[in-house]
């Protein structure tokens, strides 16, 4: 294994030498390109597919690719089961692993939550325009990454057999989902394991998808993580190479092991499909990389009284003897003075190295002067990251279900219920901090003509950072969380009465 592979996270540039494209795949490419005229465009120049550029290698490589196209995962000796059996096992809880504490064997311990999905969630999905596709949970939203960018997860193993899903509807659903987030910076995590000959869309559909996802979708896509990449997907990307810009190509990253996602994402907020978890455990067991799941960071947080990121809110308030966490107060006061009229505030990501340095300084109890940094997006992302990194959301896990169900009440009853929740169920410390944050957001919204951050846009950014379940919210509940955040901003004076 090369040193790059040992690192487990690679930037995608070229397909490794010694791999080839099967004649069947090549023929499918030509047929899709000819019949569907997928590359006709008024925006991009025409390209000629250079067949000679794909050098054929050994017969063994060809056999490996053909095996993969047939859904055989010989590399890791993982038996393939039918999609129906996998779904039934997952729904029955037999393989209901969730992301959380990861054991030395590479398995992920149960976090005491059932698999995502409640009766209310099911009812919400039934109301969706795309409930016929959404029911498979192929796409999910997982809050923000460590740089404040929205995370969208796509799982190949949840694709049903091609005979059971309309891929045109899937295309529409994909665009519908992305349309909600493409105006802000975002990343995509694609779990490739589980794509077989039974559920693999035709190559022509994949080409069409790439063409339809035009600059609108690619501009703010900051990273595309391909988890557990195989020879097939690497060769497929090689096919696309003449049509992929160098800039977009640099956004594609190969991730060999799940734990490598922890460097960029809040891994404990992801709900990784059970089949992907099992596959990763087998890879870890076979490859035996250095044990990556150390809890040094969490243990350090316990012993560091100055820690602010990734700990309980009560710990911060107690150790700092404060009412508002220092990181929140510092960010808010700077942004209030310097960024109320900045276009796209809270929408843009920040320089990763600077952001990490700022977090480190806050965790060491240092005073951070954002005037010296000279980038208003650093405090904006720092504030979002702090809220999302809390071990429990500001609005607490207990209020998640009441908030999600709030939309079922009559409008006049909603105000009364939220007032009751704040009065009787939300801890006083949390209420004070929430009031402080929402008051600031009302001020930001008053400058929406210049900063383009009206109530709706602010709610999309802060909804998932103020409240989340013990696990990952699905698309329908994310909408309710955003609506609730907007409701708090629009009704600030009526809701925060104490």
């Amino acid at each position: 294994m090369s040193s790059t592979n040992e690192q487990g996270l690679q930037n995608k540039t070229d397909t490794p030498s010694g791999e080839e494209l099967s004649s069947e795949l090549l023929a499918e490419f030509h047929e899709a390109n000819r019949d569907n005229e997928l590359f006709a465009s008024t925006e991009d120049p025409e390209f000629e597919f250079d067949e000679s550029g794909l050098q054929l290698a050994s017969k063994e490589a060809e056999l490996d690719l053909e095996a993969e196209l047939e859904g055989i995962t010989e590399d890791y000796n993982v038996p393939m089961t039918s999609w129906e059996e996998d779904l039934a096992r997952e729904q029955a809880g037999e393989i209901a692993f969730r992301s959380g504490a990861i054991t030395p064997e590479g398995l992920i311990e149960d976090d005491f939550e059932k698999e995502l999905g409640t009766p209310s969630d099911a009812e919400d999905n039934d109301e969706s325009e795309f409930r016929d596709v959404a029911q498979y949970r192929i796409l999910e939203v997982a809050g923000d990454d460590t740089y404040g960018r929205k995370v969208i997860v796509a799982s190949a193993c949840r694709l049903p057999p091609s005979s059971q899903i309309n891929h045109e509807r899937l295309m529409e659903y994909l665009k519908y989902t992305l349309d909600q987030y493409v105006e802000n910076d975002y990343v995509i995590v694609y779990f490739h394991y589980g794509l077989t000959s039974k559920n693999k869309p035709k190559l022509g559909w994949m080409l069409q998808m790439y063409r339809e996802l035009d600059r609108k979708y690619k501009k703010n896509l900051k990273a595309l993580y391909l988890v557990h990449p195989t020879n097939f997907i690497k060769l497929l990307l090689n096919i696309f190479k003449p049509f992929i810009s160098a800039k977009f190509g640099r956004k594609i990253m190969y991730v060999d092991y799940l734990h490598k996602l922890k460097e960029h994402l809040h891994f404990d907020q992801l709900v990784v499909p059970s089949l992907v978890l099992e596959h990763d455990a087998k890879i870890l067991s076979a490859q035996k990389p250095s044990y990556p799941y150390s809890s040094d960071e969490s243990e350090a947080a316990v012993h560091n009284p100055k820690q602010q990121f990734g700990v309980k809110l009560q710990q911060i308030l107690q150790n700092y003897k404060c009412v508002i966490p220092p990181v929140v107060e510092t960010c808010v006061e700077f942004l209030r003075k310097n960024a109320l009229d900045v276009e796209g505030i809270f929408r843009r990501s920040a320089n990763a190295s600077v952001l990490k340095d700022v977090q480190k300084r806050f965790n060491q109890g240092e005073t951070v002067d954002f005037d010296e940094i000279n980038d208003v997006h650093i405090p904006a992302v720092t504030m979002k990251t702090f809220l999302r990194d809390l071990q429990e959301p500001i609005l607490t896990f207990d209020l998640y279900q009441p908030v999600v169900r709030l939309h079922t009440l009559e409008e006049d009853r909603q105000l009364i219920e939220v007032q009751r929740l704040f009065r009787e169920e939300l801890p006083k410390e949390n209420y004070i901090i929430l009031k402080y944050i929402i008051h600031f957001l009302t001020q930001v919204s008053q400058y929406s003509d210049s900063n383009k951050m009206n109530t709706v846009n602010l709610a999309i950014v802060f909804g998932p950072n103020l409240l989340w379940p013990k696990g990952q919210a699905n698309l329908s509940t994310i909408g309710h969380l955003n609506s609730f955040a907007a409701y708090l901003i629009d009704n600030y004076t009526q809701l925060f009465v104490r």
Side-chain angles (χ1 to χ4, degrees), residues 323-362:
V323 176
I324 306 296
V327 60
V328 173
E329 185 172 11
T330 302
C331 292
V332 167
E333 293 309 314
F334 176 85
L335 292 170
R336 181 180 284 130
K337 295 177 181 177
N338 300 279
L340 289 179
D341 60 350
V342 173
E343 182 174 347
I345 192 65
F346 292 117
R347 290 177 54 184
R348 298 302 177 192
S349 55
N351 182 281
S353 60
V354 176
L355 184 62
K356 288 183 178 179
D357 180 66
V358 167
Q359 293 180 15
K360 180 180 179 181
R361 291 168 61 186
F362 273 120

Side-chain angles (χ1 to χ4, degrees), residues 178-196:
L178 293 179
D179 281 343
Q180 302 175 56
Y181 304 103
V182 294
E183 294 303 320
N184 304 323
D185 294 344
Y186 72 103
V187 302
I188 293 177
V189 178
Y190 169 61
F191 294 120
H192 180 62
Y193 180 75
L195 190 69
T196 72

Side-chain angles (χ1 to χ4, degrees), residues 92-214:
E94 296 177 13
I95 52 175
F97 293 98
R98 297 177 66 87
S99 52
I102 308 181
T103 68
E105 293 76 22
L107 297 178
I108 299 186
E109 296 176 349
D110 192 353
D111 68 353
F112 309 107
E113 286 294 309
K114 297 294 184 182
E115 271 296 302
L116 184 65
T118 64
S120 61
D121 290 345
E123 293 171 2
D124 291 335
N125 282 337
D126 288 340
E127 298 172 1
S128 171
E129 177 186 355
F130 293 95
R131 60 181 177 272
D132 57 320
V133 180
Q135 63 175 321
Y136 299 115
R137 294 161 54 203
I138 301 164
L139 294 177
E140 295 183 295
V141 179
D144 297 341
D145 68 0
T146 55
Y147 312 125
R149 306 173 299 200
K150 194 66 62 182
V151 178
I152 298 176
V153 178
S155 303
C157 67
R158 287 179 171 164
L159 275 169
S162 297
S163 60
Q164 298 181 15
I165 187 171
N166 184 325
H167 287 106
E168 293 304 316
R169 289 281 293 164
L170 177 59
M171 177 88 69
E172 295 174 6
Y173 177 62
L174 175 63
K175 295 169 67 175
Y176 165 79
T177 302
L178 293 179
D179 281 343
Q180 302 175 56
Y181 304 103
V182 294
E183 294 303 320
N184 304 323
D185 294 344
Y186 72 103
V187 302
I188 293 177
V189 178
Y190 169 61
F191 294 120
H192 180 62
Y193 180 75
L195 190 69
T196 72
S197 58
K198 293 182 179 180
N199 67 356
K200 177 174 67 71
K202 291 184 179 297
L203 181 58
W205 181 86
M206 299 180 193
L207 298 173
Q208 180 184 356
M209 178 181 67
Y210 179 77
R211 295 300 293 180
E212 290 202 12
L213 297 181
D214 54 19

Side-chain angles (χ1 to χ4, degrees), residues 283-297:
I283 297 175
L284 289 173
S285 177
Q287 303 295 338
K288 299 187 183 304
S290 58
Y291 182 62
Y293 304 116
S294 171
S295 58
D296 292 344
E297 292 184 4

Side-chain angles (χ1 to χ4, degrees), residues 40 89 139 155 166 219 224-225 249 255 275 300 314 317 327-328 392 397-398 414 423 426 464-465 493:
R89 290 170 63 204
L139 294 177
S155 303
N166 184 325
K219 179 180 65 174
L224 171 57
Y225 299 103
V255 184
L275 294 177
Q314 288 69 25
L317 303 182
V327 60
V328 173
E392 184 173 14
F397 291 129
D398 290 339
Q414 290 181 7
R423 182 176 62 253
L426 186 66
N465 294 321
T493 57

